[in-house]
Amino acid sequence: MTTHHLDTRLLHIGSAPFDPETGTAPVSLPSMRTSTVRFENLAALDRAMTRRLAGERAITYGRSGMDTHRALEDVFMQLEGGSYCVLAPSGMAAINIAFLGLLKTGDHVLVSDCVYGPVRNLDRALLQGFGISVTYFSAERDDIAQLVQPNTKMIYVESPGSLLYEMLDMPALASQAKAHGLILTTDNTWGSGYIYRPLMLGADVSIVAGTKYISGHSDVMLGAVIVKDQKLAARIHSAQYAMGNSVSADDAWLALRGVKTMAVRMPQHARNALEVCKFLDTQPEVLQIYHPAWHKDAGHSLWQRDCTGSNGMLSIELNCTPEAAKPFVDALELFGIGFSWGGFESLVQWVEPGTLSSHQHWKHHEHALIRLHIGLESVDDLIADLKQALAKIKK
Ligand SMILES: *Cc1c(COP(=O)(O)O)cnc(C)c1O
């Protein structure tokens, strides 16, 4: 099976086994809802506990999941090229597992300034109180050697970054992390293992919000932490177990269903987004497009080197103030105003200017930044919608 293309493997992971009596099996793995399991006898319980203590997969209780969860863990491992996976009830919960599982009081962590916004809130709400200190840095230009302290344990990045989609040089970051004995953890929600594989580029821990492209239908919250190394896996598992997170089997099932169409959804989002870029590039109101697959993007050559595809995420810098861009956002008819992305539908986010003040990649504080998720609607309709809405800025 491992010799097959990833697209093939994604469809066949978790196929239910044949019933020995009837010789049949369901094509779609059922959602296995149960809070606990029954053991045939104490010897069976013993075997399961022994395997669990040895760090192997063994079903002993519902919280750590049943077959539906196992299949989804396999999906994440295949996507990311990892050997261990822990599921979480949201992307943010997965981020928590990584921070709290890998850091302790007195530790220091370097966090890239392009990081998903709520990570800064995790810092304020929990890490500071736990005595874990954070230094935000530009993973594009800052010298890590100058930022490392004796108690630094981890580098936490996101590539491409949230909002401006700056590509980071993951292999270079990995060699820096290695040189200083640090764990390199990255948020890979953008790539979701399908178009970008940080673990293959030297990262130690990859986090994916399955809420986005994995599920793909804006109907489930889900996260995963994927690692290669067994010792790191033990720490991640132990944190997950301690925190009591669990994922509903139905949610795991929805994510598994979403993954079956990933190979057609992702390239279509990417094609639509590039068509939108071509149109936006001709519009005088649009000063810059932030989308690494776009040939004029600053990170395009890194994207060409490290990515195998793209998606529907892009941001545009408009030749007007953030206030003046509001009528454009309100005039859009096919783009829902809202957070999140990775579902079938187009969305728009008016980026609060304050959230960009700490991004070193952002230089144009007087201009509006608008984030778009290009969905699977007809791209001609999306372009027509953007065109009529851009006209609202001119007035
Ligand atoms: C949405 C998102 C998350 C958080 O995922 P949730 O499932 O919404 O908690 C984490 N990282 C990135 C980059 C995201 O876009």
Side-chain angles (χ1 to χ4, degrees), residues 90-93 95 116 158 162 187 189 209 211-212 221-222 341:
S90 71
M92 199 57 215
I95 293 172
Y116 176 63
E158 184 181 329
S162 270
D187 182 328
T189 302
T211 309
K212 311 288 169 60
M221 305 292 302
L222 198 119
W341 45 278

Side-chain angles (χ1 to χ4, degrees), residues 167-170 298-307:
M167 285 297 306
L168 302 183
D169 189 339
M170 197 61 71
H300 190 62
S301 57
L302 277 179
W303 174 81
Q304 282 179 313
R305 189 191 72 183
D306 292 343
C307 299

